[in-house]
Amino acid sequence: MRFCKSRYTQTFLILLIISVLLSGCYKPKSHFLQASGNYILGLRTQGANGTSDYLLSQDTINNAARSLSSTGNGIEQLGWCYYGSTGNTVFSFTYDNIKTGIGYGINEAGALYEKGRFAFERLDCFGKGDDSTLVAIGAPWGGGSYDCEIQLIDANNIRIKKRRLTPLYMWNKSDVLNKWPTSIVVNDNKMYVSFYPLDGGTWNTEYTDTAYVTIFSYPGLDSLTTIKDPRTGPIGLYGNQIGMMRAENGDIYTVSPSSLAAGYTQVTKKSGILRIKNGQQSFDPSYFFDVETASGGAKVLTAAYAGDGLLVARMQIPGTDDINAVWGAFDVTNPICKMAIIDLNNKTVTDIADIPAHGGQYGARWLVEDGKVYASITSTPASEARIYAIDPLTATATKAAKIEGQEVPAIYKIGN
């Protein structure tokens, strides 16, 4: 009996090991009815037990009659995701119990397929390095560790190919503040990383009177300098939103929310926009746009560069930024946001009347294509989630695809 029991145990263990190995290699399959196309969208649905994320492919999104649904369509992700893209690869980064990055492409039939996957410890901020490299930065969560980890992700082989630990910035050797990365722009063999200082234990933001950007070599990742500007507050906000944008001529524009709803615990400067001239390692002293004053009190949260000096921006509605609004800009059901066109050259702000008041988002990644910007809008009290096609030249918008779910936190187009 002792021999039989031992043999049974060995067999059980072998089967268990095989099961674990197979589950580790498991790749989610696309649904049989998966739509084809080279528009790739992250769809977040709301169920009784929380949200679920799907990745969908579509042949068009600029159609008000089109519904974006996970029913019989798309690939369900492992959990709540951030998204990123470069070249012909779209990444999902699961942030639930299993931290997994998965790269997807489009096959010859126009359907999504998994290119590969890898494990990661922390990834909180993403930006394009080049057509084969996605830059990702993991930030320290909580106190005790102050180094961020810059990671270069290979979009062809779906792996982390280079790592570099850095505190982003330290005032002195006794500095015990985390520096949370908010946006990444690579330009002229340099990588610009905006951040804001915070207490990792309490998330208090004691220093909100200066904009900060650390500049690295790229792809070497050597720290070159940290530049500061006291004309506005820190650049960007938590949650993989866009806080810096590169114009056609290589100039970089930065947006500072100066907003309690954006996760800051105090506000000391006006919401505004700064500029870093192409190839420079300093803020342009001749350029500052006080967006808050020009807009009558609205604050710019995030934006997409649409060309010709125009931004399509999600802005916080005046009068909604009080102590009860902390982190409110991340709630899709909280209608404190509006959309507007920001003219960087003429320093004007024009509301887009066609888009209703709506909630904010984590990781708002909009698509710029053929002079239009496509953005996910979840409006209340109508409770309609829809993509809007925005024309920056006329400050108008039309309804595009309807979202059968909570929101679309990322919109990409890959391939031809």
Side-chain angles (χ1 to χ4, degrees):
M1 290 295 294
R2 205 176 276 178
F3 170 79
C4 293
K5 184 177 181 181
S6 174
R7 187 161 187 173
Y8 172 81
T9 302
Q10 289 176 353
T11 303
F12 174 78
L13 288 173
I14 290 171
L15 290 174
L16 179 62
I17 291 169
I18 292 172
S19 175
V20 171
L21 288 173
L22 287 176
S23 66
C25 297
Y26 171 75
K27 296 182 179 181
K29 305 299 183 182
S30 58
H31 291 211
F32 178 73
L33 297 176
Q34 182 187 178
S36 62
N38 53 359
Y39 291 95
I40 312 301
L41 306 101
L43 173 66
R44 184 162 295 146
T45 63
Q46 178 68 56
N49 298 318
T51 61
S52 297
D53 275 25
Y54 297 81
L55 208 61
L56 311 178
S57 56
Q58 295 285 308
D59 60 358
T60 183
I61 56 174
N62 194 11
N63 182 344
R66 177 65 60 94
S67 289
L68 305 176
S69 172
S70 63
T71 303
N73 186 34
I75 301 175
E76 185 171 5
Q77 301 303 293
L78 301 176
W80 190 98
C81 295
Y82 280 141
Y83 297 93
S85 180
T86 188
N88 287 324
T89 303
V90 171
F91 290 90
S92 70
F93 300 96
T94 300
Y95 241 82
D96 282 4
N97 295 327
I98 304 173
K99 295 183 176 66
T100 306
I102 305 177
Y104 293 93
I106 297 291
N107 63 22
E108 292 181 358
L112 278 172
Y113 75 97
E114 181 178 319
K115 299 173 69 173
R117 60 174 60 189
F118 61 93
F120 65 88
E121 184 175 354
R122 287 209 62 85
L123 298 176
D124 300 280
C125 183
F126 306 90
K128 178 179 178 179
D130 50 58
D131 284 340
S132 62
T133 307
L134 185 75
V135 181
I137 301 178
W141 188 275
S145 174
Y146 308 104
D147 280 340
C148 289
E149 186 174 30
I150 303 172
Q151 297 157 80
L152 301 186
I153 301 172
D154 188 328
N156 297 318
N157 298 310
I158 317 300
R159 64 182 180 87
I160 298 173
K161 61 183 180 181
K162 186 171 185 176
R163 304 172 186 264
R164 175 64 62 88
L165 284 173
T166 173
L168 290 185
Y169 173 74
M170 295 192 74
W171 278 281
N172 51 55
K173 292 183 179 180
S174 61
D175 182 5
V176 291
L177 291 177
N178 296 134
K179 313 303 185 302
W180 196 271
T182 59
S183 201
I184 303 166
V185 170
V186 172
N187 183 47
D188 190 34
N189 296 318
K190 298 180 183 67
M191 184 175 74
Y192 299 77
V193 180
S194 59
F195 64 88
Y196 66 94
L198 61 88
D199 183 309
T202 64
W203 284 80
N204 286 334
T205 55
E206 182 180 351
Y207 299 97
T208 57
D209 60 353
T210 301
Y212 305 90
V213 171
T214 294
I215 305 172
F216 298 85
S217 65
Y218 181 86
L221 305 184
D222 296 315
S223 180
L224 302 177
T225 187
T226 296
I227 60 175
K228 300 178 255 185
D229 197 307
R231 290 176 290 176
T232 186
I235 297 160
L237 63 158
Y238 178 90
N240 191 32
Q241 317 253 15
I242 300 297
M244 297 192 295
M245 293 139 288
R246 180 183 180 275
E248 300 94 333
N249 63 358
D251 290 353
I252 296 172
Y253 290 89
T254 71
V255 297
S256 295
S258 293
S259 161
L260 297 174
Y264 293 93
T265 57
Q266 66 174 5
V267 172
T268 51
K269 294 290 176 72
K270 294 289 186 69
S271 177
I273 296 175
L274 298 168
R275 179 171 65 190
I276 304 169
K277 296 286 285 182
N278 183 28
Q280 299 302 303
Q281 297 186 50
S282 60
F283 287 105
D284 182 355
S286 70
Y287 187 91
F288 174 62
F289 183 7
D290 181 347
V291 175
E292 190 168 344
T293 298
S295 65
K299 302 183 178 189
V300 57
L301 299 173
T302 186
Y305 185 78
D308 297 324
L310 299 177
L311 302 183
V312 172
R314 175 166 283 150
M315 305 190 69
Q316 186 176 348
I317 296 171
T320 62
D321 203 41
D322 55 35
I323 193 62
N324 298 314
V326 175
W327 296 102
F330 302 90
D331 184 353
V332 295
T333 66
N334 187 11
I336 63 172
C337 298
K338 64 178 180 178
M339 300 295 285
I341 304 300
I342 295 177
D343 188 324
L344 296 169
N345 299 321
N346 296 312
K347 295 185 178 179
T348 59
V349 179
T350 305
D351 289 349
I352 304 173
D354 303 310
I355 299 179
H358 56 279
Q361 287 181 289
Y362 286 95
R365 297 282 163 155
W366 306 329
L367 175 66
V368 181
E369 182 186 31
D370 297 333
K372 291 187 177 180
V373 175
Y374 295 88
S376 173
I377 304 292
T378 302
S379 57
T380 53
S383 297
E384 180 181 66
R386 186 177 288 276
I387 292 175
Y388 278 79
I390 302 166
D391 186 340
L393 294 176
T394 60
T396 59
T398 56
K399 289 184 176 182
K402 181 176 174 57
I403 300 168
E404 299 294 342
Q406 189 181 72
E407 60 180 319
V408 169
I411 309 170
Y412 303 106
K413 187 178 182 181
I414 64 176
N416 298 321

